[in-house]
Amino acid sequence: MIDYRWARGDELPAIAAFFARIVALDDSYISHGELQTGLSLDGMTWVDDLDQRMAEDFAAMGDERSVAVATGPDGLAGAAIILWEVTDRVSFMVFEDLAVDPATRSHGVGAGLVAFAEAAGVERGMAWAFLESGLRNEGAHRFFDRQGFRAMSKIFSKKLG
């Protein structure tokens, strides 16, 4: 049985370590967001101190973000970082990161995290849910398609200097 809930602040260091461990397994997870936050320097590989940088990012997380967690009998099975945006014109949520332990994939953990966060989004009056995924992350793309997300844009980048 998997339990879905919002993480407490004292849990964030362990969740940061979980994210670093899970995403480091697959370079295809890397997208422009990892370049923008310095978790990848080339868009193809992770930085050597990924765990330290993830810990710093989680420690600096503000009230505009929440972390949904999925826990089971063996502990943390998955987590999602959600950004909540409220503007004068539209309110929306962004799945900034979603990671599921490979041992629990294809068992509904990711779908449960998405459903849990989306229900909270509806309660908060969010009109849209957004996410972006690394161009080479085909498994995630299939997963997000199954969750009802549709591609609507491409992100372009150019290395300067």
Side-chain angles (χ1 to χ4, degrees):
M1 169 117 181
I2 300 293
D3 176 50
Y4 300 93
R5 62 180 176 77
W6 296 108
R8 298 181 315 269
D10 64 329
E11 296 175 300
L12 295 181
I15 298 168
F18 172 84
F19 263 98
R21 179 176 60 84
I22 299 304
V23 302
L25 298 173
D26 186 359
D27 290 342
S28 74
Y29 184 95
I30 297 170
S31 69
H32 79 285
E34 285 69 36
L35 285 169
Q36 291 172 329
T37 57
L39 300 178
S40 173
L41 301 179
D42 61 5
M44 301 299 290
T45 58
W46 296 103
V47 292
D48 291 336
D49 62 343
L50 180 63
D51 54 343
Q52 178 183 343
R53 291 184 188 205
M54 283 272 196
E56 292 167 357
D57 290 351
F58 272 74
M61 200 174 289
D63 292 339
E64 71 281 2
R65 286 177 176 78
S66 301
V67 179
V69 294
T71 55
D74 297 325
L76 191 57
I81 303 168
I82 310 300
L83 171 67
W84 308 103
E85 286 283 340
V86 178
T87 73
D88 291 339
R89 293 186 177 169
V90 65
S91 296
F92 59 92
M93 60 190 288
V94 179
F95 285 83
E96 288 190 327
D97 280 305
L98 176 82
V100 175
D101 189 309
T104 62
R105 288 185 187 156
S106 299
H107 291 91
V109 173
L113 280 167
V114 169
F116 175 78
E118 285 178 345
V122 170
E123 287 178 17
R124 287 174 175 241
M126 301 290 122
W128 289 92
F130 295 102
L131 61 87
E132 58 88 17
S133 179
L135 192 59
R136 300 175 294 130
N137 199 350
E138 295 294 332
H141 302 165
R142 289 188 298 275
F143 168 77
F144 293 127
D145 282 341
R146 288 192 305 273
Q147 304 315 306
F149 287 85
R150 298 295 171 251
M152 64 180 306
S153 62
K154 284 190 175 187
I155 296 171
F156 295 83
S157 64
K158 180 180 180 181
K159 177 133 176 79
L160 303 176

